[in-house]
Amino acid sequence: MSSIILLVFVLLLPLASSQTFHWGPCPSPQVQPNFQVEKYLGKWYEIEKLPASFEKGTCIEANYSLRRDGTIRVLNSQFYKEKVSTAEGTAVVRDTRESAKLGVSFSYFTPYAPYWVLTTDYTSLSVVYSCTSFLHLFHIDYAWILSRSPSPSAATVLYAKELLVREGIDISRMKPTVQNC
Ligand SMILES: *[C@@H]1O[C@H](CO)[C@@H](O)[C@H](O)[C@H]1NC(C)=O
């Protein structure tokens, strides 16, 4: 058992520099009550985030739209190495009793990663959290502050950060996303 844990740890170490790693299980933040996905669709700009290896560019945005089969099409785009790159994924509501706890996958072969909407007013701000724990020993998490505007007010961003902190999430590595395109 302990050698398995060590192996998992060694395999994940290279990730730790571009992901956020913590000992212990995931925090369990409150999520948006009565989340209404229809109102959430459309374009969101990424304002700040915890580091993620798959997001190194600038002008990062997401566009959510409904597919005919009821799943949500996720189209992420970023400007990286002088060009726009996009990634298409799928989001699903996994439990209708907690509709703010979505899962997102960017490939047929990868499992759904959590996409939890902690709070949103649908028209300006969304605070998203994703945490995966490994054997309850440690966890890797991501957090995103999204806005309908590429330059939301400082008060809006502060509100989002205070909410994350209140929910027990470490945002010391959180960085603004450049939105100058
Ligand atoms: C978002 O995606 C939908 C569906 O593909 C498209 O109709 C819409 O124009 C896109 N919106 C933006 C703002 O890019």
Side-chain angles (χ1 to χ4, degrees):
M1 181 68 177
S2 62
S3 60
I4 293 172
I5 292 167
L6 185 66
L7 179 64
V8 169
F9 186 70
V10 168
L11 288 175
L12 288 168
L13 262 187
L15 291 175
S17 57
S18 55
Q19 323 294 322
T20 307
F21 169 97
H22 292 287
W23 292 109
C26 284
S28 37
Q30 305 266 310
V31 296
Q32 169 79 25
N34 289 317
F35 177 70
Q36 290 170 276
V37 75
E38 310 75 37
K39 289 164 72 180
Y40 194 76
L41 302 177
K43 186 154 139 180
W44 291 94
Y45 296 91
E46 183 187 278
I47 306 305
E48 299 222 13
K49 64 164 173 295
L50 289 178
S53 58
F54 45 87
E55 289 186 303
K56 292 199 162 55
T58 63
C59 302
I60 301 174
E61 351 176 310
N63 180 3
Y64 304 105
S65 53
L66 217 47
R67 291 204 190 92
R68 283 182 168 190
D69 65 2
T71 65
I72 301 148
R73 174 178 183 253
V74 179
L75 192 65
N76 284 349
S77 68
Q78 63 176 331
F79 194 71
Y80 185 56
K81 292 189 171 158
E82 289 166 22
K83 56 179 204 280
V84 175
S85 67
T86 59
E88 185 173 340
T90 295
V92 291
V93 173
R94 314 193 71 187
D95 177 352
T96 48
R97 285 165 305 180
E98 281 192 299
S99 52
K101 292 186 176 176
L102 294 105
V104 177
S105 171
F106 283 91
S107 140
Y108 194 74
F109 304 101
T110 56
Y112 282 94
Y115 179 111
W116 289 11
V117 181
L118 303 193
T119 192
T120 186
D121 59 2
Y122 305 99
T123 55
S124 61
L125 175 72
S126 174
V127 180
V128 178
Y129 185 61
S130 178
C131 185
T132 303
S133 91
F134 297 86
L135 305 168
H136 288 277
L137 275 180
F138 61 93
H139 62 272
I140 286 175
D141 64 357
Y142 305 96
W144 295 272
I145 298 172
L146 307 177
S147 174
R148 293 293 194 187
S149 149
S151 52
S153 72
T156 299
V157 177
L158 184 64
Y159 170 82
K161 287 185 170 178
E162 284 175 348
L163 184 132
L164 286 162
V165 170
R166 213 162 48 236
E167 295 294 350
I169 295 156
D170 176 10
I171 60 161
S172 55
R173 299 182 73 207
M174 198 157 221
K175 295 254 161 28
T177 301
V178 175
Q179 289 286 0
N180 63 347
C181 300

